[in-house]
Amino acid sequence: MTSTLPRTDQLSAAFSAADRDGEAVAARLLDSSAQLSYDPATEVDWDEPLDPALHGLNPEWSTLYGTKLWDGMTDEQRVTLTRHEVASIMSTGIWFEMILQQMLLREHYAADTTRTDFRFALTEIADECRHSLMFARACEKLGATGYAPKRSGIELGRLWKTVADGERAFGAALVAEEVLDVMQRDWMRGEDVLPLIRTTSRIHVVEESRHMTYARQEMRESLQGVGTARRRATALLLAIVTHVVVTNLVHRDVYTAAGLDADRAVREAAANKHHHAMMRTSSRHLMTFLGECGLLTGPAKAVYRRLHML
C-alpha cells in the first residue's frame, strides 16, 4: 500500500510559535485536522505479512542495544525483542491516551460549546480513540499483547485523571506525547522496521503534532499569573507523572518473550549508557519547553536526571 501521508516538516511549518492566541491556534489546528487526518483502517495494510527479518523498532531504540547481552543475541531474538518492545510502548500509549481523553472531557465539561478550542478538544479525543484502536490492532498483529502498566501506575493514573487540571493535565499529556514523538520519527523512517510500524508511527506523529501544539498553548494560558508555590508543585508533579510513564514503557516480560533471562536483561537495560543517551535525545524539546515555563525546578530536575532525560 502506498502511503498518502505528508512530510511531517510540512505540518510543523504550519504552526507558528509566535501565535499565542488560543482561539487562533485552535482554529488553525481544526483546519489542519480537516486536511491531515487519517483512518488507520484504510491507511495501514493490515493484511500484509510480517517480514521475519524486520524489527518492531529501530534496533538503536531497543533498551538492550549496545549491551553485552545484545551482542550475544541471535538476529531472531533481536527481531522478537524489538517487536515486543514496540508493543509494550504502544500498550502504554493506549493507557495514557485513555487517561488523556478523560481529562479532556472533564476539562471541557459544560464549557462554552461555541468556542473553537472546545471543538478542537473533541477533535483530539476522536484522534486519540483512533490511535488507541490502531495501537491495539497493531499489537494483535504482532502477536504481542497483554503488556499492561504496573498496578501502581494504573492506580496513580486513575487518581491523576480525576484530579489534574489546567497546566497539570496538559503538561502530563505533553510529557507522554513528546517522548514518544521523537522515537516514532525515527521508527517511521527505519528501513529495517516493519511497514506496519512505520505507517502507524507516521500517522501518530502527524496527528500528535496538533495535540502537542494545543497542549503547549493550554499550558501557557494556564500558567499566566500562577504563583510560585503552585508552579513549583506543578513542576514536581509533572516530573512524578513522567517517572510513572517512562518506567512503564517497556514491560519486563518483553525479555522473556525473546528467550532472555529477564532479571539480567532488566539490569543491563538499566545500566545501558546508549539507551540513556537516546532518552536524553528524545526529551530535549520537552525539557526546553518546561524550562521556558519555569517548570524545571531543582526537585524536578533530580527526577528527570534519574530518568536520563537531562
Side-chain angles (χ1 to χ4, degrees), residues 19-295:
D19 193 336
R20 294 293 184 265
D21 181 83
E23 282 290 272
V25 169
R28 286 212 316 276
L29 295 175
L30 277 173
D31 181 64
S32 171
S33 180
Q35 299 180 53
L36 303 176
S37 291
Y38 303 95
D39 181 359
T42 56
E43 282 292 338
V44 181
D45 188 350
W46 297 105
D47 296 324
E48 182 180 16
L50 301 180
D51 186 329
L54 295 180
H55 296 79
L57 46 77
N58 309 60
E60 294 80 5
W61 278 105
S62 173
T63 54
L64 291 180
Y65 183 87
T67 66
K68 290 182 179 179
L69 185 53
W70 177 271
D71 292 340
M73 292 167 60
T74 65
D75 289 341
E76 182 180 0
Q77 283 181 306
R78 292 172 179 174
V79 167
T80 300
L81 175 62
T82 58
R83 292 186 183 189
H84 282 263
E85 283 179 316
V86 79
S88 178
I89 292 170
M90 288 190 293
S91 297
T92 301
I94 294 171
W95 165 62
F96 206 84
E97 284 179 341
M98 293 179 72
I99 293 173
L100 172 58
Q101 290 171 59
Q102 292 177 74
M103 289 193 298
L104 283 171
L105 283 169
R106 183 164 48 79
E107 186 78 10
H108 291 276
Y109 177 73
D112 182 353
T113 59
T114 65
R115 286 182 57 86
T116 309
D117 59 356
F118 173 84
R119 287 191 286 127
F120 182 74
L122 295 186
T123 300
E124 178 169 347
I125 291 168
D127 289 345
E128 300 294 7
C129 282
R130 289 197 308 275
H131 295 166
S132 294
L133 288 167
M134 176 178 72
F135 287 156
R137 191 170 179 181
C139 290
E140 181 183 16
K141 178 75 174 181
L142 290 169
T145 58
Y147 291 123
K150 303 180 186 76
R151 173 53 59 181
S152 59
I154 290 174
E155 296 307 323
L156 286 170
R158 196 187 308 279
L159 174 64
W160 189 258
K161 70 180 178 59
T162 304
V163 302
D165 62 347
E167 76 280 2
R168 295 173 178 178
F170 288 103
L174 188 63
V175 161
E177 291 166 349
E178 284 273 11
V179 172
L180 189 56
D181 179 73
V182 176
M183 295 181 183
Q184 289 188 315
R185 285 176 186 270
D186 272 359
W187 302 349
M188 71 188 196
R189 301 185 183 100
E191 294 182 359
D192 52 358
V193 175
L194 288 165
L196 168 71
I197 303 303
R198 295 179 67 177
T199 305
T200 55
S201 295
R202 188 178 292 272
I203 289 172
H204 200 246
V205 164
V206 169
E207 298 188 345
E208 289 294 331
S209 292
R210 293 191 290 268
H211 303 175
M212 290 188 292
T213 299
Y214 179 60
R216 292 189 194 100
Q217 178 61 33
E218 291 292 321
M219 284 185 69
R220 292 188 188 102
E221 292 182 358
S222 294
L223 285 167
Q224 289 179 3
V226 165
T228 301
R230 179 176 174 99
R231 194 178 295 266
R232 287 178 176 172
T234 295
L236 181 56
L237 285 169
L238 290 182
I240 293 170
V241 168
T242 305
H243 184 275
V244 173
V245 172
V246 170
T247 56
N248 276 282
L249 284 176
V250 178
H251 198 287
R252 65 176 281 123
D253 287 352
V254 303
Y255 305 118
T256 303
L260 304 173
D261 180 318
D263 290 334
R264 180 188 172 188
V266 168
R267 288 195 302 272
E268 293 207 21
N272 188 354
K273 300 297 184 183
H274 171 81
H275 192 66
H276 298 169
M278 297 295 279
M279 284 301 298
R280 284 190 291 274
T281 296
S282 70
S283 308
R284 187 176 300 134
H285 297 304
L286 172 63
M287 293 298 112
T288 298
F289 179 75
L290 293 179
E292 292 171 352
C293 291
L295 298 175

